[in-house]
Amino acid sequence: MKKLPTSVENFKELIKGNYYYIDKSMLIKDVVELSGKIKLITRPRRFGKTLNMDMMLRFFSMDEEENLFEDLKIWQEKETVREHFHKYPVIYISFKKIKNPTWDGAYSSIKELLSDIASKYESINANERLKEKIKFITEKEADIGLYKDTLYILSQALYEERGIMPIILIDEFDVPIESAYTNRHKDPDYYDNMVDFMRAFLTSALKGSDTYFSFAVLTGVYRIAKESIFSGLNNLVVFTVFDNEMADKYGFTEDEVNDMLKYYKLNREDKRIINKWYGNYKIGKREGLYNPWSIINYIAKRIQGKLNPREATQKYWVDTSENRLIIEQVENNEEIKME
């Protein structure tokens, strides 16, 4: 019996480690074919965003040596595979751990993050000016302007070395912004500083005619106002929970949950409990979606602890999610509160 992928967000580990995997690889075809050179995909937390990002990294990156996709749906899409499989340099950045209570702490964490990423490119075959900037970022000796330009610098350096525009993948871009908003009363300048940093960081690499990227995918929970973070990115297309595109590529569908319950030999009572507790998500016109984190944890409880379904139910998603921003809006807005 396959293992349940509780907390597994590494696609290679999941495929090679005998884990139960619900195939979402056709997301790759959507990313390639849907409009927008920059795609922002917003989904709730614990809906598979990070795993899907890592999957895209493993598919597109020319530095990957193994083929993890032969048994997945995307491998039947011969044209997509032929044109894009292992063909690009890829820059992958995740901001999911930038949750500091102050701007100074957050900026320090961002410098550490960008230093780790830049260190992978210290020996890159690019011009000396770019290599010197990468060295400053790696050694955490750069000024804030250089950190804001990190993405632009790395994409230009990769293009110079490989002769191919890189793909840029940015996971959970909104986590630092949410943290800044939540803690703005403790540190009054935190939110403005973070918005200014993230705006410069993204637009320096993604805006204008002198950019160096093939396409970019960003994921997050919130659809941050275009005017604040994505100012001037005319090639940005946003896919929210109200849009039909990619509706079944995040979260589990009814059929996928039924197949999973059957595989682990669970019964109709389990399905009834799951529907009541963890079902009824809707993305675009697609109804009957389920939160993956909750489903996986529920099944794990049942097959490992041999518990009665009613004893196994918990609010798995709520226990791992930061909802302060939503709570504040409800508490401080009478109209929302009444609705």
Side-chain angles (χ1 to χ4, degrees), residues 6-41:
T6 309
S7 300
V8 178
E9 295 180 324
N10 183 297
F11 183 74
K12 183 176 181 178
E13 177 187 354
L14 191 148
I15 295 297
K16 295 178 71 68
N18 194 37
Y19 287 98
Y20 190 97
Y21 175 57
I22 292 178
D23 189 347
K24 300 293 182 180
S25 63
M26 291 299 287
L27 171 67
I28 293 164
K29 183 176 170 65
D30 288 345
V31 164
V32 168
E33 294 184 355
L34 290 174
S35 63
K37 187 175 180 181
I38 307 168
K39 294 177 176 67
L40 168 59
I41 305 169

PDB file of all heavy atoms in Angstrom, residues 6-41:
ATOM      1  N   THR A   6       1.711  13.034   3.732  1.00  0.00           N
ATOM      2  CA  THR A   6       1.490  14.069   4.740  1.00  0.00           C
ATOM      3  C   THR A   6       2.714  14.981   4.801  1.00  0.00           C
ATOM      4  O   THR A   6       3.821  14.521   5.070  1.00  0.00           O
ATOM      5  CB  THR A   6       1.250  13.434   6.128  1.00  0.00           C
ATOM      6  OG1 THR A   6       0.234  12.431   5.991  1.00  0.00           O
ATOM      7  CG2 THR A   6       0.805  14.464   7.131  1.00  0.00           C
ATOM      8  N   SER A   7       2.511  16.264   4.520  1.00  0.00           N
ATOM      9  CA  SER A   7       3.576  17.284   4.578  1.00  0.00           C
ATOM     10  C   SER A   7       4.670  17.092   3.529  1.00  0.00           C
ATOM     11  O   SER A   7       5.730  17.708   3.633  1.00  0.00           O
ATOM     12  CB  SER A   7       4.215  17.332   5.969  1.00  0.00           C
ATOM     13  OG  SER A   7       3.251  17.652   6.950  1.00  0.00           O
ATOM     14  N   VAL A   8       4.451  16.267   2.503  1.00  0.00           N
ATOM     15  CA  VAL A   8       5.446  16.103   1.440  1.00  0.00           C
ATOM     16  C   VAL A   8       5.163  17.126   0.342  1.00  0.00           C
ATOM     17  O   VAL A   8       4.131  17.078  -0.311  1.00  0.00           O
ATOM     18  CB  VAL A   8       5.412  14.677   0.848  1.00  0.00           C
ATOM     19  CG1 VAL A   8       6.417  14.556  -0.295  1.00  0.00           C
ATOM     20  CG2 VAL A   8       5.708  13.644   1.927  1.00  0.00           C
ATOM     21  N   GLU A   9       6.088  18.071   0.169  1.00  0.00           N
ATOM     22  CA  GLU A   9       5.925  19.117  -0.843  1.00  0.00           C
ATOM     23  C   GLU A   9       7.015  19.056  -1.905  1.00  0.00           C
ATOM     24  O   GLU A   9       7.112  19.923  -2.754  1.00  0.00           O
ATOM     25  CB  GLU A   9       5.910  20.497  -0.174  1.00  0.00           C
ATOM     26  CG  GLU A   9       4.702  20.688   0.742  1.00  0.00           C
ATOM     27  CD  GLU A   9       4.682  22.054   1.399  1.00  0.00           C
ATOM     28  OE1 GLU A   9       5.777  22.570   1.740  1.00  0.00           O
ATOM     29  OE2 GLU A   9       3.587  22.612   1.568  1.00  0.00           O
ATOM     30  N   ASN A  10       7.856  18.015  -1.821  1.00  0.00           N
ATOM     31  CA  ASN A  10       8.927  17.801  -2.790  1.00  0.00           C
ATOM     32  C   ASN A  10       8.445  16.771  -3.816  1.00  0.00           C
ATOM     33  O   ASN A  10       8.191  15.618  -3.485  1.00  0.00           O
ATOM     34  CB  ASN A  10      10.187  17.302  -2.065  1.00  0.00           C
ATOM     35  CG  ASN A  10      11.366  17.118  -3.006  1.00  0.00           C
ATOM     36  OD1 ASN A  10      11.317  16.301  -3.919  1.00  0.00           O
ATOM     37  ND2 ASN A  10      12.422  17.864  -2.779  1.00  0.00           N
ATOM     38  N   PHE A  11       8.291  17.203  -5.058  1.00  0.00           N
ATOM     39  CA  PHE A  11       7.709  16.357  -6.092  1.00  0.00           C
ATOM     40  C   PHE A  11       8.550  15.115  -6.356  1.00  0.00           C
ATOM     41  O   PHE A  11       8.017  14.006  -6.514  1.00  0.00           O
ATOM     42  CB  PHE A  11       7.537  17.173  -7.374  1.00  0.00           C
ATOM     43  CG  PHE A  11       6.886  16.425  -8.494  1.00  0.00           C
ATOM     44  CD1 PHE A  11       5.532  16.159  -8.472  1.00  0.00           C
ATOM     45  CD2 PHE A  11       7.629  15.969  -9.573  1.00  0.00           C
ATOM     46  CE1 PHE A  11       4.914  15.462  -9.510  1.00  0.00           C
ATOM     47  CE2 PHE A  11       7.032  15.279 -10.611  1.00  0.00           C
ATOM     48  CZ  PHE A  11       5.674  15.019 -10.580  1.00  0.00           C
ATOM     49  N   LYS A  12       9.859  15.272  -6.383  1.00  0.00           N
ATOM     50  CA  LYS A  12      10.738  14.135  -6.631  1.00  0.00           C
ATOM     51  C   LYS A  12      10.612  13.100  -5.521  1.00  0.00           C
ATOM     52  O   LYS A  12      10.520  11.891  -5.780  1.00  0.00           O
ATOM     53  CB  LYS A  12      12.185  14.608  -6.744  1.00  0.00           C
ATOM     54  CG  LYS A  12      13.169  13.500  -7.063  1.00  0.00           C
ATOM     55  CD  LYS A  12      14.571  14.072  -7.244  1.00  0.00           C
ATOM     56  CE  LYS A  12      15.568  12.979  -7.581  1.00  0.00           C
ATOM     57  NZ  LYS A  12      16.941  13.539  -7.796  1.00  0.00           N
ATOM     58  N   GLU A  13      10.591  13.556  -4.278  1.00  0.00           N
ATOM     59  CA  GLU A  13      10.426  12.641  -3.146  1.00  0.00           C
ATOM     60  C   GLU A  13       9.090  11.912  -3.243  1.00  0.00           C
ATOM     61  O   GLU A  13       9.001  10.703  -2.974  1.00  0.00           O
ATOM     62  CB  GLU A  13      10.510  13.416  -1.830  1.00  0.00           C
ATOM     63  CG  GLU A  13      10.291  12.570  -0.590  1.00  0.00           C
ATOM     64  CD  GLU A  13      10.213  13.393   0.685  1.00  0.00           C
ATOM     65  OE1 GLU A  13      10.447  14.621   0.618  1.00  0.00           O
ATOM     66  OE2 GLU A  13       9.909  12.815   1.740  1.00  0.00           O
ATOM     67  N   LEU A  14       8.051  12.634  -3.628  1.00  0.00           N
ATOM     68  CA  LEU A  14       6.717  12.040  -3.708  1.00  0.00           C
ATOM     69  C   LEU A  14       6.649  10.950  -4.782  1.00  0.00           C
ATOM     70  O   LEU A  14       6.122   9.862  -4.551  1.00  0.00           O
ATOM     71  CB  LEU A  14       5.688  13.132  -3.976  1.00  0.00           C
ATOM     72  CG  LEU A  14       4.216  12.761  -3.829  1.00  0.00           C
ATOM     73  CD1 LEU A  14       3.416  13.960  -3.351  1.00  0.00           C
ATOM     74  CD2 LEU A  14       3.647  12.269  -5.151  1.00  0.00           C
ATOM     75  N   ILE A  15       7.199  11.222  -5.969  1.00  0.00           N
ATOM     76  CA  ILE A  15       7.132  10.276  -7.074  1.00  0.00           C
ATOM     77  C   ILE A  15       8.016   9.052  -6.812  1.00  0.00           C
ATOM     78  O   ILE A  15       7.616   7.913  -7.078  1.00  0.00           O
ATOM     79  CB  ILE A  15       7.541  10.958  -8.397  1.00  0.00           C
ATOM     80  CG1 ILE A  15       6.529  12.057  -8.777  1.00  0.00           C
ATOM     81  CG2 ILE A  15       7.678   9.929  -9.528  1.00  0.00           C
ATOM     82  CD1 ILE A  15       5.131  11.550  -9.043  1.00  0.00           C
ATOM     83  N   LYS A  16       9.194   9.261  -6.274  1.00  0.00           N
ATOM     84  CA  LYS A  16      10.135   8.156  -6.097  1.00  0.00           C
ATOM     85  C   LYS A  16       9.963   7.428  -4.760  1.00  0.00           C
ATOM     86  O   LYS A  16      10.539   6.360  -4.553  1.00  0.00           O
ATOM     87  CB  LYS A  16      11.573   8.683  -6.215  1.00  0.00           C
ATOM     88  CG  LYS A  16      11.925   9.208  -7.600  1.00  0.00           C
ATOM     89  CD  LYS A  16      13.328   9.745  -7.654  1.00  0.00           C
ATOM     90  CE  LYS A  16      14.360   8.650  -7.572  1.00  0.00           C
ATOM     91  NZ  LYS A  16      14.390   7.781  -8.751  1.00  0.00           N
ATOM     92  N   GLY A  17       9.177   8.008  -3.860  1.00  0.00           N
ATOM     93  CA  GLY A  17       9.095   7.453  -2.517  1.00  0.00           C
ATOM     94  C   GLY A  17       7.889   6.582  -2.242  1.00  0.00           C
ATOM     95  O   GLY A  17       7.525   6.380  -1.077  1.00  0.00           O
ATOM     96  N   ASN A  18       7.228   6.095  -3.288  1.00  0.00           N
ATOM     97  CA  ASN A  18       6.054   5.217  -3.130  1.00  0.00           C
ATOM     98  C   ASN A  18       4.935   5.891  -2.338  1.00  0.00           C
ATOM     99  O   ASN A  18       4.317   5.285  -1.466  1.00  0.00           O
ATOM    100  CB  ASN A  18       6.445   3.897  -2.459  1.00  0.00           C
ATOM    101  CG  ASN A  18       5.359   2.842  -2.586  1.00  0.00           C
ATOM    102  OD1 ASN A  18       4.670   2.735  -3.606  1.00  0.00           O
ATOM    103  ND2 ASN A  18       5.164   2.056  -1.537  1.00  0.00           N
ATOM    104  N   TYR A  19       4.680   7.151  -2.654  1.00  0.00           N
ATOM    105  CA  TYR A  19       3.569   7.877  -2.050  1.00  0.00           C
ATOM    106  C   TYR A  19       2.356   7.842  -2.983  1.00  0.00           C
ATOM    107  O   TYR A  19       2.496   7.735  -4.206  1.00  0.00           O
ATOM    108  CB  TYR A  19       3.947   9.336  -1.794  1.00  0.00           C
ATOM    109  CG  TYR A  19       4.904   9.531  -0.639  1.00  0.00           C
ATOM    110  CD1 TYR A  19       6.274   9.681  -0.864  1.00  0.00           C
ATOM    111  CD2 TYR A  19       4.442   9.577   0.676  1.00  0.00           C
ATOM    112  CE1 TYR A  19       7.152   9.880   0.186  1.00  0.00           C
ATOM    113  CE2 TYR A  19       5.311   9.773   1.732  1.00  0.00           C
ATOM    114  CZ  TYR A  19       6.658   9.922   1.486  1.00  0.00           C
ATOM    115  OH  TYR A  19       7.524  10.104   2.530  1.00  0.00           O
ATOM    116  N   TYR A  20       1.185   7.969  -2.393  1.00  0.00           N
ATOM    117  CA  TYR A  20      -0.048   8.094  -3.176  1.00  0.00           C
ATOM    118  C   TYR A  20      -0.069   9.498  -3.786  1.00  0.00           C
ATOM    119  O   TYR A  20       0.007  10.494  -3.073  1.00  0.00           O
ATOM    120  CB  TYR A  20      -1.271   7.887  -2.282  1.00  0.00           C
ATOM    121  CG  TYR A  20      -2.573   7.764  -3.054  1.00  0.00           C
ATOM    122  CD1 TYR A  20      -3.104   6.513  -3.345  1.00  0.00           C
ATOM    123  CD2 TYR A  20      -3.261   8.892  -3.492  1.00  0.00           C
ATOM    124  CE1 TYR A  20      -4.304   6.382  -4.055  1.00  0.00           C
ATOM    125  CE2 TYR A  20      -4.447   8.773  -4.211  1.00  0.00           C
ATOM    126  CZ  TYR A  20      -4.958   7.523  -4.484  1.00  0.00           C
ATOM    127  OH  TYR A  20      -6.134   7.410  -5.198  1.00  0.00           O
ATOM    128  N   TYR A  21      -0.162   9.565  -5.111  1.00  0.00           N
ATOM    129  CA  TYR A  21      -0.130  10.867  -5.775  1.00  0.00           C
ATOM    130  C   TYR A  21      -1.337  11.025  -6.683  1.00  0.00           C
ATOM    131  O   TYR A  21      -1.605  10.165  -7.537  1.00  0.00           O
ATOM    132  CB  TYR A  21       1.151  11.017  -6.605  1.00  0.00           C
ATOM    133  CG  TYR A  21       1.195  12.303  -7.412  1.00  0.00           C
ATOM    134  CD1 TYR A  21       1.073  13.540  -6.783  1.00  0.00           C
ATOM    135  CD2 TYR A  21       1.334  12.275  -8.801  1.00  0.00           C
ATOM    136  CE1 TYR A  21       1.101  14.712  -7.512  1.00  0.00           C
ATOM    137  CE2 TYR A  21       1.365  13.452  -9.535  1.00  0.00           C
ATOM    138  CZ  TYR A  21       1.244  14.668  -8.883  1.00  0.00           C
ATOM    139  OH  TYR A  21       1.266  15.835  -9.610  1.00  0.00           O
ATOM    140  N   ILE A  22      -2.059  12.105  -6.499  1.00  0.00           N
ATOM    141  CA  ILE A  22      -3.160  12.471  -7.390  1.00  0.00           C
ATOM    142  C   ILE A  22      -2.587  13.362  -8.488  1.00  0.00           C
ATOM    143  O   ILE A  22      -2.076  14.454  -8.217  1.00  0.00           O
ATOM    144  CB  ILE A  22      -4.286  13.168  -6.611  1.00  0.00           C
ATOM    145  CG1 ILE A  22      -4.957  12.147  -5.679  1.00  0.00           C
ATOM    146  CG2 ILE A  22      -5.309  13.773  -7.566  1.00  0.00           C
ATOM    147  CD1 ILE A  22      -6.057  12.711  -4.814  1.00  0.00           C
ATOM    148  N   ASP A  23      -2.647  12.880  -9.697  1.00  0.00           N
ATOM    149  CA  ASP A  23      -1.939  13.464 -10.831  1.00  0.00           C
ATOM    150  C   ASP A  23      -2.493  14.846 -11.201  1.00  0.00           C
ATOM    151  O   ASP A  23      -3.599  14.972 -11.714  1.00  0.00           O
ATOM    152  CB  ASP A  23      -2.066  12.508 -12.023  1.00  0.00           C
ATOM    153  CG  ASP A  23      -1.198  12.903 -13.204  1.00  0.00           C
ATOM    154  OD1 ASP A  23      -0.680  14.030 -13.222  1.00  0.00           O
ATOM    155  OD2 ASP A  23      -1.052  12.070 -14.122  1.00  0.00           O
ATOM    156  N   LYS A  24      -1.684  15.870 -10.957  1.00  0.00           N
ATOM    157  CA  LYS A  24      -2.032  17.242 -11.339  1.00  0.00           C
ATOM    158  C   LYS A  24      -1.089  17.775 -12.423  1.00  0.00           C
ATOM    159  O   LYS A  24      -0.966  18.994 -12.609  1.00  0.00           O
ATOM    160  CB  LYS A  24      -1.981  18.159 -10.108  1.00  0.00           C
ATOM    161  CG  LYS A  24      -2.935  17.770  -8.983  1.00  0.00           C
ATOM    162  CD  LYS A  24      -4.388  17.938  -9.391  1.00  0.00           C
ATOM    163  CE  LYS A  24      -5.337  17.602  -8.255  1.00  0.00           C
ATOM    164  NZ  LYS A  24      -6.758  17.764  -8.652  1.00  0.00           N
ATOM    165  N   SER A  25      -0.443  16.858 -13.125  1.00  0.00           N
ATOM    166  CA  SER A  25       0.595  17.277 -14.073  1.00  0.00           C
ATOM    167  C   SER A  25       0.063  18.060 -15.264  1.00  0.00           C
ATOM    168  O   SER A  25       0.823  18.787 -15.915  1.00  0.00           O
ATOM    169  CB  SER A  25       1.376  16.057 -14.571  1.00  0.00           C
ATOM    170  OG  SER A  25       0.529  15.170 -15.292  1.00  0.00           O
ATOM    171  N   MET A  26      -1.242  17.963 -15.566  1.00  0.00           N
ATOM    172  CA  MET A  26      -1.779  18.730 -16.688  1.00  0.00           C
ATOM    173  C   MET A  26      -1.798  20.235 -16.413  1.00  0.00           C
ATOM    174  O   MET A  26      -2.047  21.034 -17.314  1.00  0.00           O
ATOM    175  CB  MET A  26      -3.170  18.228 -17.053  1.00  0.00           C
ATOM    176  CG  MET A  26      -3.163  16.827 -17.674  1.00  0.00           C
ATOM    177  SD  MET A  26      -2.213  16.744 -19.203  1.00  0.00           S
ATOM    178  CE  MET A  26      -3.316  17.602 -20.310  1.00  0.00           C
ATOM    179  N   LEU A  27      -1.507  20.614 -15.181  1.00  0.00           N
ATOM    180  CA  LEU A  27      -1.295  22.034 -14.875  1.00  0.00           C
ATOM    181  C   LEU A  27      -0.192  22.602 -15.764  1.00  0.00           C
ATOM    182  O   LEU A  27      -0.233  23.771 -16.170  1.00  0.00           O
ATOM    183  CB  LEU A  27      -0.929  22.201 -13.403  1.00  0.00           C
ATOM    184  CG  LEU A  27      -0.458  23.594 -12.968  1.00  0.00           C
ATOM    185  CD1 LEU A  27      -1.589  24.608 -13.073  1.00  0.00           C
ATOM    186  CD2 LEU A  27       0.092  23.559 -11.546  1.00  0.00           C
ATOM    187  N   ILE A  28       0.802  21.793 -16.066  1.00  0.00           N
ATOM    188  CA  ILE A  28       1.926  22.235 -16.905  1.00  0.00           C
ATOM    189  C   ILE A  28       1.423  22.680 -18.272  1.00  0.00           C
ATOM    190  O   ILE A  28       1.862  23.712 -18.801  1.00  0.00           O
ATOM    191  CB  ILE A  28       2.966  21.104 -17.022  1.00  0.00           C
ATOM    192  CG1 ILE A  28       3.628  20.852 -15.664  1.00  0.00           C
ATOM    193  CG2 ILE A  28       4.009  21.423 -18.092  1.00  0.00           C
ATOM    194  CD1 ILE A  28       4.381  19.549 -15.566  1.00  0.00           C
ATOM    195  N   LYS A  29       0.521  21.933 -18.851  1.00  0.00           N
ATOM    196  CA  LYS A  29      -0.058  22.301 -20.160  1.00  0.00           C
ATOM    197  C   LYS A  29      -0.825  23.617 -20.050  1.00  0.00           C
ATOM    198  O   LYS A  29      -0.731  24.480 -20.938  1.00  0.00           O
ATOM    199  CB  LYS A  29      -0.978  21.182 -20.637  1.00  0.00           C
ATOM    200  CG  LYS A  29      -1.603  21.394 -22.013  1.00  0.00           C
ATOM    201  CD  LYS A  29      -2.411  20.169 -22.414  1.00  0.00           C
ATOM    202  CE  LYS A  29      -3.262  20.399 -23.650  1.00  0.00           C
ATOM    203  NZ  LYS A  29      -2.465  20.648 -24.856  1.00  0.00           N
ATOM    204  N   ASP A  30      -1.555  23.813 -18.957  1.00  0.00           N
ATOM    205  CA  ASP A  30      -2.277  25.075 -18.746  1.00  0.00           C
ATOM    206  C   ASP A  30      -1.311  26.248 -18.660  1.00  0.00           C
ATOM    207  O   ASP A  30      -1.541  27.308 -19.249  1.00  0.00           O
ATOM    208  CB  ASP A  30      -3.100  25.009 -17.453  1.00  0.00           C
ATOM    209  CG  ASP A  30      -4.317  24.110 -17.578  1.00  0.00           C
ATOM    210  OD1 ASP A  30      -4.685  23.757 -18.712  1.00  0.00           O
ATOM    211  OD2 ASP A  30      -4.900  23.755 -16.546  1.00  0.00           O
ATOM    212  N   VAL A  31      -0.243  26.057 -17.914  1.00  0.00           N
ATOM    213  CA  VAL A  31       0.733  27.131 -17.734  1.00  0.00           C
ATOM    214  C   VAL A  31       1.366  27.514 -19.066  1.00  0.00           C
ATOM    215  O   VAL A  31       1.601  28.690 -19.354  1.00  0.00           O
ATOM    216  CB  VAL A  31       1.817  26.698 -16.703  1.00  0.00           C
ATOM    217  CG1 VAL A  31       3.035  27.607 -16.779  1.00  0.00           C
ATOM    218  CG2 VAL A  31       1.244  26.700 -15.301  1.00  0.00           C
ATOM    219  N   VAL A  32       1.619  26.537 -19.902  1.00  0.00           N
ATOM    220  CA  VAL A  32       2.238  26.788 -21.205  1.00  0.00           C
ATOM    221  C   VAL A  32       1.260  27.452 -22.170  1.00  0.00           C
ATOM    222  O   VAL A  32       1.629  28.365 -22.918  1.00  0.00           O
ATOM    223  CB  VAL A  32       2.765  25.467 -21.809  1.00  0.00           C
ATOM    224  CG1 VAL A  32       3.149  25.647 -23.269  1.00  0.00           C
ATOM    225  CG2 VAL A  32       3.957  24.957 -21.009  1.00  0.00           C
ATOM    226  N   GLU A  33      -0.014  27.028 -22.146  1.00  0.00           N
ATOM    227  CA  GLU A  33      -0.945  27.431 -23.200  1.00  0.00           C
ATOM    228  C   GLU A  33      -1.863  28.595 -22.845  1.00  0.00           C
ATOM    229  O   GLU A  33      -2.302  29.310 -23.741  1.00  0.00           O
ATOM    230  CB  GLU A  33      -1.805  26.215 -23.608  1.00  0.00           C
ATOM    231  CG  GLU A  33      -0.986  25.109 -24.270  1.00  0.00           C
ATOM    232  CD  GLU A  33      -1.844  23.955 -24.746  1.00  0.00           C
ATOM    233  OE1 GLU A  33      -3.073  23.971 -24.473  1.00  0.00           O
ATOM    234  OE2 GLU A  33      -1.298  23.048 -25.410  1.00  0.00           O
ATOM    235  N   LEU A  34      -2.194  28.787 -21.568  1.00  0.00           N
ATOM    236  CA  LEU A  34      -3.095  29.877 -21.213  1.00  0.00           C
ATOM    237  C   LEU A  34      -2.406  31.223 -21.390  1.00  0.00           C
ATOM    238  O   LEU A  34      -1.178  31.330 -21.327  1.00  0.00           O
ATOM    239  CB  LEU A  34      -3.586  29.716 -19.776  1.00  0.00           C
ATOM    240  CG  LEU A  34      -4.563  28.553 -19.525  1.00  0.00           C
ATOM    241  CD1 LEU A  34      -4.850  28.417 -18.038  1.00  0.00           C
ATOM    242  CD2 LEU A  34      -5.854  28.754 -20.305  1.00  0.00           C
ATOM    243  N   SER A  35      -3.203  32.268 -21.582  1.00  0.00           N
ATOM    244  CA  SER A  35      -2.650  33.589 -21.861  1.00  0.00           C
ATOM    245  C   SER A  35      -1.898  34.144 -20.656  1.00  0.00           C
ATOM    246  O   SER A  35      -2.155  33.768 -19.514  1.00  0.00           O
ATOM    247  CB  SER A  35      -3.773  34.549 -22.247  1.00  0.00           C
ATOM    248  OG  SER A  35      -4.677  34.715 -21.163  1.00  0.00           O
ATOM    249  N   GLY A  36      -0.985  35.066 -20.937  1.00  0.00           N
ATOM    250  CA  GLY A  36      -0.259  35.759 -19.888  1.00  0.00           C
ATOM    251  C   GLY A  36       1.168  35.265 -19.758  1.00  0.00           C
ATOM    252  O   GLY A  36       1.407  34.106 -19.406  1.00  0.00           O
ATOM    253  N   LYS A  37       2.125  36.150 -20.011  1.00  0.00           N
ATOM    254  CA  LYS A  37       3.530  35.785 -19.814  1.00  0.00           C
ATOM    255  C   LYS A  37       3.836  35.637 -18.326  1.00  0.00           C
ATOM    256  O   LYS A  37       4.716  34.872 -17.938  1.00  0.00           O
ATOM    257  CB  LYS A  37       4.431  36.852 -20.439  1.00  0.00           C
ATOM    258  CG  LYS A  37       5.908  36.475 -20.446  1.00  0.00           C
ATOM    259  CD  LYS A  37       6.755  37.502 -21.182  1.00  0.00           C
ATOM    260  CE  LYS A  37       8.216  37.081 -21.175  1.00  0.00           C
ATOM    261  NZ  LYS A  37       9.084  38.063 -21.867  1.00  0.00           N
ATOM    262  N   ILE A  38       3.103  36.390 -17.504  1.00  0.00           N
ATOM    263  CA  ILE A  38       3.198  36.255 -16.048  1.00  0.00           C
ATOM    264  C   ILE A  38       1.837  35.792 -15.548  1.00  0.00           C
ATOM    265  O   ILE A  38       0.827  36.462 -15.764  1.00  0.00           O
ATOM    266  CB  ILE A  38       3.560  37.598 -15.383  1.00  0.00           C
ATOM    267  CG1 ILE A  38       4.806  38.209 -16.009  1.00  0.00           C
ATOM    268  CG2 ILE A  38       3.760  37.416 -13.877  1.00  0.00           C
ATOM    269  CD1 ILE A  38       5.038  39.650 -15.609  1.00  0.00           C
ATOM    270  N   LYS A  39       1.824  34.669 -14.878  1.00  0.00           N
ATOM    271  CA  LYS A  39       0.570  34.125 -14.343  1.00  0.00           C
ATOM    272  C   LYS A  39       0.629  34.157 -12.818  1.00  0.00           C
ATOM    273  O   LYS A  39       1.566  33.621 -12.222  1.00  0.00           O
ATOM    274  CB  LYS A  39       0.345  32.693 -14.834  1.00  0.00           C
ATOM    275  CG  LYS A  39       0.126  32.587 -16.333  1.00  0.00           C
ATOM    276  CD  LYS A  39      -0.021  31.149 -16.759  1.00  0.00           C
ATOM    277  CE  LYS A  39      -0.338  31.041 -18.254  1.00  0.00           C
ATOM    278  NZ  LYS A  39       0.792  31.484 -19.106  1.00  0.00           N
ATOM    279  N   LEU A  40      -0.386  34.765 -12.227  1.00  0.00           N
ATOM    280  CA  LEU A  40      -0.541  34.748 -10.771  1.00  0.00           C
ATOM    281  C   LEU A  40      -1.723  33.844 -10.450  1.00  0.00           C
ATOM    282  O   LEU A  40      -2.842  34.091 -10.895  1.00  0.00           O
ATOM    283  CB  LEU A  40      -0.789  36.158 -10.232  1.00  0.00           C
ATOM    284  CG  LEU A  40      -1.253  36.265  -8.775  1.00  0.00           C
ATOM    285  CD1 LEU A  40      -0.237  35.648  -7.823  1.00  0.00           C
ATOM    286  CD2 LEU A  40      -1.515  37.722  -8.401  1.00  0.00           C
ATOM    287  N   ILE A  41      -1.467  32.781  -9.684  1.00  0.00           N
ATOM    288  CA  ILE A  41      -2.499  31.812  -9.327  1.00  0.00           C
ATOM    289  C   ILE A  41      -2.764  31.911  -7.833  1.00  0.00           C
ATOM    290  O   ILE A  41      -1.853  31.685  -7.025  1.00  0.00           O
ATOM    291  CB  ILE A  41      -2.065  30.379  -9.690  1.00  0.00           C
ATOM    292  CG1 ILE A  41      -1.672  30.296 -11.175  1.00  0.00           C
ATOM    293  CG2 ILE A  41      -3.179  29.391  -9.369  1.00  0.00           C
ATOM    294  CD1 ILE A  41      -0.979  29.010 -11.553  1.00  0.00           C
TER     295      ILE A  41
END
